[in-house]
Structure formats: structure tokens, C-alpha cells
Amino acid sequence: MKTIDAPPAPGANARAAAEMAVRASYGRLVAILAARSRNIAAAEDALADALAAALLRWPEDGVPDRPEAWLLVAARRRLGQAARHNRVHEAAAAEIRLLVDTMTETDPAAIPDERLKLMFVCAHPAIEPAAQAPLMLQSVLGLDAARIAASFLTSPAAMSQRLVRAKARIREAGLAFEVPGRDELAGRLDAVLSAVYAAYGTGWDGAFGDDPRRAGLAEEAIWLGRLIVGLAGPQPEALGLLALMLASEARRPARRDAAGRFVALADQHPALWDGLLIDEAEDLLRRAATFGRPGRFQIEACIQSVHLSRRLTGRTDWTALAGFYDLLVTLAPTVGNRVARAAAIAEADGPAAGLAVLDALAAAADAYQPYWATRAHLLARSGQPAEAAASFLRAAGMAEDPALRSYLLGRAATLAS
Amino acid sequence: MQYLIAFMESPATFEHRSPIDNSGPDMGAWYAYIGAIRASGIVTGGAGLMPPSTGAVVTVRDGGRQVVDGPYPDSKEQLGGFFIVEVPDLDTALEWAARSPAASDGSVIVRPLMPPMP
């Protein structure tokens, strides 16, 4: 198809077309290429070669009608060559099959979407948990290791090593690229969802930090969440996770004031929350609830929903919140959830009740910044300003975000004076 | 494992530095950070340094000793202080490095320590 617009810079057009095709279909192509060989690294290399070839050829020959199919064929050919070089133990039949597939799969509608399988293999129990979310971001979305390392607060060298190890494990252990059967699905899906949530949490923490590389990660995680909902069919926890991420995202505009200062949830102005995202989250949550199978992500989304209903009612139902937190800590007794439960109990039943819950947590939460901030807040409310100031100071000393740090220092200074 | 966490700071932050008076604009954040990291029980050593202009650089070449005044703070970042911490892994060391005011102001170097010489 010829465009009727002026034809300037065919090279630039071809480059843009190639980059768009790769961005949109990176994970789709990696998943297809790696499904048979179970070799993600080789699939990524082949795709990189195909892209390089596209950038050479398309400016000369024009952008093909189906860039994705073109890239898939070129990458397959490249994989076939590598297989000829490297594999001696596999029968030639496999290669012939590969070439036959190449001939028949040039219709984009016929290119299957294997990304869900790719996500399941990234979150396989044999892969170390700390590598699962990064591996998904790299192989499904094509993020580079340096960007992922910055997001997960580790060095690029350590992250690369982690990713290489994980890919080697998939290859050597021969982990299957498959969507588990119905019996197994719920358990395995939880690992996939947890990895996506870990990516979202990292992006959320960093969203207002000084490192712009962390800022986009929340969007990438939501992208993965939408992909899972689209590919996995109706799964209540997948719907719950997406609802949770969208509800959190809705509050983003209210998390800082005009001067960039941190605004605590209780002080946020509901008018600044994103109504469209809230409506979408509520809708997802309702769909999830029709299954009658609650899980941690649905409960966390319910917690967000209670907070967000302040937009309509002007108040927060703390008793309902404390109830949801009781339920949550029975399913996911993390330090974060237990500290948040203490805060909800303090709002519902008074600061002394909250402090009692925190006291029981002291040993486990010593290195957890929100524990100290929550403790400080409850001490201040229960008329112990000196102890509160010391706890605010401790929280400030553990805050990574300068805006949050100065908020906590400010609270400490006010109480100490 | 033991790690060095070293704080590289801009010339501007050295100007506010005073061991006696914690009233400088950044000192509150440092005071809180140092308090928190010490309270966590991982610190096995460390110190803050006086400004680079108060130091000196010594070289011996061809048998002759040469002493020049310490690097002046108009170069980009200078070592301002350090901690030695005992933590389970690099990620924990990086977490504490990121919490320091220098992480958003200057930069923080994290290096594993070599095992002691036999």
C-alpha cells in the first residue's frame, strides 16, 4: 500500500515501523520463538538479529505489509541457522518442521499469542522469586536489563546475572511453555500475578523519586495486568489485581502537592483522583466478585475501594477497612499488610489498639520504614509527643524518597518543639 | 557480608557541613539517616569526613615526596563519609545506600569488602 503523503525519509519511516512492530509484538514473538526450543536467550538474540536485518532492508525494499510476520520469519531463519551450528543431538525433522511453520504462519491472524505461556514459564516455581518479575519485564515487554536493575534497586551486573541464570534454568531444566490445566491454574497464576504486582510496587515506590527510569514501571505492570486479563480468560484474582493497580494509579495525581511535597492518604483531595480509572477498577472488582472466590488481590482492591469511596461519601469506613485487613493478613501475613492492619484498627478502635498490634510486630518490622511512620503517627495521637518525634525521625532516616523524608522530618520537628 | 557504603557529595553540601551544629539544611536528613542505620545494628564502622580542602594528597616518585593540598571541592563530587555495614546481601546494602540523602543529592558507592588478609 502506497501512502499519498509526501514520501520523505524512507529510512526514518522504516526505522519507526520496525521499532513499533517490535515494541508491540516483542513478547508475542519471543514467546513463539522460545516455545519449542525453551531458550529465551536464543529467541531474544534471533529477534534482535531480525530487527537489525529489518533496519537494513526496509529502508531499501519498503516496509512489508505485515512487519510482525516478516520479523518472525527472519528470526525463525536465524534460529534455524543457530540450531544447525549448535545442536547436534536434535533430529533434522525438527528443523524441517520449523521451515514448514515458517511457510504457513505468515498470516498475522494465524500468529498465535503465546505470551501467557511465556509469563507462566517466567514465574515457574523453579525460577528464583527475585528473578520472576524482572524476567517477565524483559522477555514479555523487552525492557533492557539496566532499566530493570535501576527499578529493582540492584546493580546492572547483578540483574544481568540473575536474568541469565534464570534463562539458563528454563533451557537446562526444560521448563515447559504451557498454560497449566484447570486444576493447577489457580496456584500457578498466583505466581504470575505476584510477579506483576512486584513490578507495580516497584514502580509505585519510585514514581516520584528522582530516578526517571523507575517512573514508567507502574504503567508497564498495568500493561502486563491487562494482557493477563485478556489472555487468561475470566480469572477472579487476575481481575482483582488489575482493579487494585488501577485503583492505586487513580490516586497518583493526589500523592504530591503543587510543590512536590508528599501528601498522606488521609489528607489527599478526592477531587484529584482519576474518576475514569476508579470506575474501571470498580467494574473489574464487581466482575471478580461474581465468581465468589475471594483472594488477596481482590481483598486489597476492596481496601482501595473503601478508601476511594471517600470521593462519594466524604468519609472513610474504618470498621469495614479493619475487617478487610483481618481477612487479608490471614491470606498474606506480610509485614506491610500487618502494619497497615494496625493503622486501620487504630482508626476504628483508637490509637492504643493500633499500638498494641504494632508492639507485637516490633521484631519483624524493625527495618520497615512504614512501621516507624505508623508508630510515630499513633504515638502522636495518643499524647506521647517525645516518643512520636523519635519514631518520625527513625522513619525519616529510612525514607528513600526525599519528599516523603522531608514530610517525616517536618512531623518530627513539630512534635519535638 | 561486609560492604562499604560511601557517600559522594557535591561541593555545595560540604559548605553546610558542621560537626557541632546540625542546623544546616541537609543535616536534619543526615541526622535521621545516621540515627536509623545505627539503630538497625548493621554498622561496624564509618565516619564523616571534613571537607576535601582540609586534606592533602601524598605521592612518592623517584624517591621524592610530594604533598599537594587536597582536591578542591570545585570538582564534581567528593567523598564525604562512609559506613562499613554487615548485611546478608548486596540488595540490603543497596537499600540502605538508597535511603541516604546523598543518593538523591550526589551519589552513593556500594562495594563488598575483601575478606581480611590471612
Side-chain angles (χ1 to χ4, degrees):
Chain A
M1 193 181 72
K2 294 278 179 239
T3 162
I4 52 166
D5 291 325
N13 279 343
R15 176 174 289 271
E19 283 173 357
M20 268 181 62
V22 164
R23 180 157 305 173
S25 54
Y26 187 92
R28 245 152 83 74
L29 297 180
V30 168
I32 292 165
L33 293 165
R36 191 171 296 131
S37 66
R38 297 172 181 182
N39 191 337
I40 292 175
E44 288 175 336
D45 287 348
L47 189 55
D49 284 349
L51 177 64
L55 291 177
L56 278 176
R57 294 274 298 278
W58 294 2
E60 298 275 324
D61 304 351
V63 178
D65 287 342
R66 296 189 289 256
E68 193 179 59
W70 192 100
L71 287 167
L72 180 60
V73 170
R76 275 248 167 92
R77 196 167 292 146
R78 181 75 203 156
L79 267 185
Q81 283 164 3
R84 268 195 293 282
H85 283 299
N86 301 334
R87 283 205 310 264
V88 285
H89 59 278
E90 276 204 23
E95 214 176 300
I96 290 165
R97 201 174 57 214
L98 205 74
L99 289 171
V100 171
D101 286 352
T102 300
M103 306 296 285
T104 55
E105 283 183 14
T106 46
D107 174 8
I111 297 178
D113 198 323
E114 306 277 60
R115 283 175 293 186
L116 193 62
K117 293 180 185 171
L118 186 58
M119 282 191 257
F120 272 106
V121 82
C122 290
H124 194 282
I127 303 294
E128 62 165 325
Q132 292 179 353
L135 192 59
M136 234 178 254
L137 290 167
Q138 194 184 45
S139 58
V140 181
L141 297 182
L143 301 194
D144 66 63
R147 154 90 194 275
I148 298 170
S151 302
F152 282 86
L153 200 66
T154 185
S155 71
M159 181 53 76
S160 295
Q161 215 178 24
R162 199 180 284 172
L163 290 169
V164 166
R165 251 200 328 264
K167 287 177 199 171
R169 187 139 182 82
I170 290 170
R171 190 179 66 240
E172 285 156 14
L175 303 185
F177 276 64
E178 60 184 19
V179 176
R182 184 178 289 272
D183 298 346
E184 221 190 312
L185 185 68
R188 290 285 307 281
L189 186 63
D190 194 49
V192 170
L193 299 177
S194 296
V196 173
Y197 192 46
Y200 182 79
T202 307
W204 176 242
D205 290 342
F208 290 92
D210 288 351
D211 188 344
R213 284 170 302 183
R214 292 180 71 165
L217 206 62
E219 284 86 353
E220 308 281 10
I222 288 173
W223 211 88
L224 285 174
R226 289 192 187 282
L227 198 59
I228 294 168
V229 166
L231 295 177
Q235 291 293 333
E237 276 292 87
L239 294 167
L241 173 62
L242 186 55
L244 169 60
M245 293 193 291
L246 294 177
S248 308
E249 207 58 18
R251 291 199 282 104
R252 179 189 294 276
R255 290 177 72 204
R256 292 290 185 274
D257 67 12
R261 284 183 299 254
F262 173 83
V263 182
L265 174 55
D267 303 326
Q268 286 175 13
H269 204 305
L272 294 173
W273 294 342
D274 186 326
L276 284 177
L277 286 179
I278 294 174
D279 291 345
E280 192 185 350
E282 294 290 337
D283 187 50
L284 287 162
L285 198 50
R286 268 193 299 273
R287 271 172 66 197
T290 59
F291 290 85
R293 290 186 352 237
R296 59 171 282 224
F297 292 122
Q298 290 172 76
I299 294 167
E300 285 192 55
C302 288
I303 287 167
Q304 290 289 335
S305 175
V306 173
H307 281 301
L308 291 170
S309 63
R310 201 172 88 215
R311 186 176 63 129
L312 305 173
T313 63
R315 57 176 289 275
T316 303
D317 184 345
W318 291 104
T319 307
L321 266 184
F324 279 127
Y325 272 114
D326 285 345
L327 205 54
L328 183 61
V329 295
T330 61
L331 290 173
T334 63
V335 169
N337 289 343
R338 286 151 78 195
V339 167
R341 174 172 170 261
I345 287 173
E347 295 294 340
D349 304 334
L355 281 169
V357 177
L358 284 181
D359 284 342
L361 268 175
D366 189 64
Y368 185 62
Q369 180 263 321
Y371 167 82
W372 292 101
T374 307
R375 185 173 191 83
H377 180 65
L378 299 189
L379 286 166
R381 278 189 49 201
S382 64
Q384 302 175 68
E387 292 82 353
S391 284
F392 270 124
L393 206 55
R394 183 85 180 262
M398 299 176 76
E400 195 178 308
D401 178 352
L404 175 59
R405 182 193 297 142
S406 47
Y407 168 81
L408 294 166
L409 282 173
R411 296 287 310 263
T414 311
L415 285 160
S417 60
Chain B
M1 276 188 78
Q2 289 207 312
Y3 292 86
L4 168 79
I5 300 178
F7 310 107
M8 306 300 291
E9 297 179 75
S10 69
T13 59
F14 279 103
E15 281 169 28
H16 304 303
R17 176 177 296 235
S18 158
I20 303 143
D21 169 21
N22 272 336
S23 62
D26 303 324
M27 289 317 283
W30 275 108
Y31 181 69
Y33 175 69
I34 292 164
I37 195 171
R38 286 199 182 282
S40 77
I42 61 171
V43 174
T44 63
L49 304 181
M50 295 297 282
S53 58
T54 60
V57 175
V58 181
T59 50
V60 177
R61 294 285 183 275
D62 303 322
R65 182 200 289 179
Q66 220 184 353
V67 178
V68 293
D69 285 352
Y72 283 97
D74 41 275
S75 60
K76 221 177 116 205
E77 283 172 358
Q78 299 282 355
L79 181 63
F82 66 94
F83 279 117
I84 307 288
V85 296
E86 173 77 50
V87 290
D89 50 39
L90 175 68
D91 288 345
T92 312
L94 287 167
E95 203 170 294
W96 278 103
R99 288 166 169 171
S100 72
S104 44
D105 222 25
S107 58
V108 188
I109 292 169
V110 178
R111 297 265 296 270
L113 264 59
M114 280 172 71
M117 295 228 182

